[in-house]
Amino acid sequence: MSDVKLSVIYYSSTGTISALAKEIAEAAEKAGAEVRLRKAAELAPQAAIDGNEAWAANVEATKDIAEATADDVVWADAVIFGSPTRYGNIASQLKQFIDTLGPQWAQGQLADKVYSGFASSATQHGGQESTLLALSNTFYHFGGIIVPPGYTDGSKFVDGNPYGTSHVDAQGNNPVDDTSRKAAQVQAERVVRVARALKPGASL
């Protein structure tokens, strides 16, 4: 049995965040965590999805991934949330899920867990950092322990985002590359390592 339980909870429309979520989940499992990979429920109308080929393809490709529930957060020692940027903030689909966690928050069930985030945008300065900082505001209210990747690995000086993994997809023209995958692996491994160190009787 793994000593660390990790939930990777994300929303993705056209697939960039889906790819990063899977990379994070796989890296966390290799680091010894028990992982739940979950997606936020889709809120957009079917007509909007059908009007975007990449969006429709991602819905089909991820149809077997279970939708997130409050239990996925309560169960976990650590949670990594992922979202594309929407005007410098997280997508409404992920926000809606987070907003359903009020009962668990009120009971103190979201506190003292490790939290981290990842994001994507269409352009180089399209709101990645502000999206991750906005997500952190939620973690403060949870009473969570925020664990960013920082510049804790040499590869972070290549991808250049200490707040969390992020990727610029250039309107779908730039698929997730080795730099972003490495960033995802570093973040996952760090979250698992810190969560493990916070277990009773452990040391960092």
Side-chain angles (χ1 to χ4, degrees):
M1 289 290 291
S2 170
D3 59 341
V4 173
K5 295 179 288 187
L6 170 69
S7 284
V8 181
I9 299 175
Y10 74 95
Y11 172 73
S12 184
S13 53
T14 58
T16 299
I17 290 294
S18 291
L20 291 175
K22 290 175 183 176
E23 192 71 36
I24 287 171
E26 289 174 5
E29 287 182 338
K30 289 178 181 177
E34 179 182 355
V35 178
R36 290 185 183 181
L37 178 63
R38 299 290 189 265
K39 64 185 179 186
E42 182 60 79
L43 303 177
Q46 191 63 46
I49 297 170
D50 292 341
N52 183 317
E53 184 177 339
W55 197 347
N58 184 58
V59 168
E60 176 64 21
T62 60
K63 65 182 181 182
D64 293 332
I65 296 176
E67 291 185 353
T69 68
D71 179 67
D72 295 316
V73 182
V74 173
W75 166 84
D77 299 308
V79 185
I80 307 179
F81 286 100
S83 175
T85 185
R86 295 290 185 264
Y87 308 111
N89 211 322
I90 65 174
S92 60
Q93 289 87 344
L94 184 62
K95 182 63 164 62
Q96 192 275 341
F97 169 72
I98 289 172
D99 286 349
T100 69
L101 299 175
Q104 291 74 30
W105 166 80
Q107 296 174 60
Q109 294 179 309
L110 309 182
D112 302 329
K113 298 176 184 291
V114 168
Y115 293 96
S116 199
F118 59 104
S120 67
S121 63
T123 58
Q124 185 66 47
H125 299 289
Q128 297 176 23
E129 292 178 359
S130 62
T131 296
L132 293 169
L133 291 170
L135 188 55
S136 291
N137 289 335
T138 296
F139 306 153
Y140 297 135
H141 283 259
F142 285 175
I145 301 161
I146 302 173
V147 177
Y151 289 108
T152 58
D153 185 274
S155 65
K156 295 303 297 175
F157 292 93
V158 179
D159 75 82
N161 190 339
Y163 301 94
T165 300
S166 62
H167 182 75
V168 178
D169 80 342
Q171 302 290 355
N173 294 311
N174 184 26
V176 173
D177 57 11
D178 289 343
T179 297
S180 295
R181 292 186 189 281
K182 177 62 176 177
Q185 293 161 12
V186 167
Q187 184 171 6
E189 290 163 2
R190 178 168 165 78
V191 166
V192 172
R193 184 169 67 252
V194 174
R196 181 175 289 124
L198 291 171
K199 303 285 279 188
S203 61
L204 186 62

